[in-house]
Amino acid sequence: QVQLVESGGGLVQTGGSLRVSCAASKRYAMGWFRQAPGMEREFVAGISGGGGFTEYADSVKGRFTISRDGAKNTVYLQMNSLKPEDTAVYYCAARSLYPSVSSQSRDYDYWGQGTQITVSS
């Protein structure tokens, strides 16, 4: 059973920064998704198992950075220049079968518990 443990998140003002992390039991391709109230879950960023490939949603390009610490099997999402529209519950997810990055939620087998990020205006 794959366990994903998220940490970080919280409340920040517009223009501020936050970092969330997700610790996994193995080195998987990982993704971050978010879901705002009344909205569907959407892809934010993803990183391959080896860390060499990343992908971002257009809405966060240039502001968010996904990275990983291979030794710790931990993936980070650094979020800068945060906007109120970034407010959502953020979930990390793992692909246990394939090492490639994906923006599709259906490609992920395991999900973290979610962490709330609120950006105040």
Side-chain angles (χ1 to χ4, degrees):
Q1 182 71 20
V2 176
Q3 288 188 323
L4 303 177
V5 180
E6 299 179 26
S7 60
L11 174 65
V12 65
Q13 291 184 333
T14 297
S17 298
L18 278 176
R19 189 179 79 161
V20 290
S21 62
C22 179
S25 53
K26 294 182 180 180
R27 183 181 295 189
Y28 300 106
M30 302 287 289
W32 285 96
F33 292 77
R34 66 187 181 187
Q35 188 167 20
M39 304 292 287
E40 293 187 354
R41 188 171 298 187
E42 65 174 358
F43 171 76
V44 176
I47 189 166
S48 60
F53 295 93
T54 59
E55 186 174 345
Y56 296 92
D58 289 342
S59 58
V60 306
K61 280 181 182 177
R63 300 189 298 123
F64 291 12
T65 302
I66 189 171
S67 62
R68 69 185 312 145
D69 181 334
K72 298 180 180 179
N73 292 330
T74 299
V75 173
Y76 305 96
L77 183 67
Q78 177 68 43
M79 302 175 285
N80 299 327
S81 301
L82 283 160
K83 305 174 182 179
E85 51 263 45
D86 294 317
T87 296
V89 177
Y90 284 68
Y91 299 90
C92 69
R95 299 187 75 186
S96 63
L97 298 179
Y98 300 97
S100 57
V101 65
S102 173
S103 63
Q104 303 299 310
S105 59
R106 63 176 179 268
D107 290 336
Y108 292 85
D109 310 288
Y110 300 96
W111 294 81
Q113 78 278 12
T115 185
Q116 176 70 47
I117 292 175
T118 302
V119 184
S120 63
S121 57

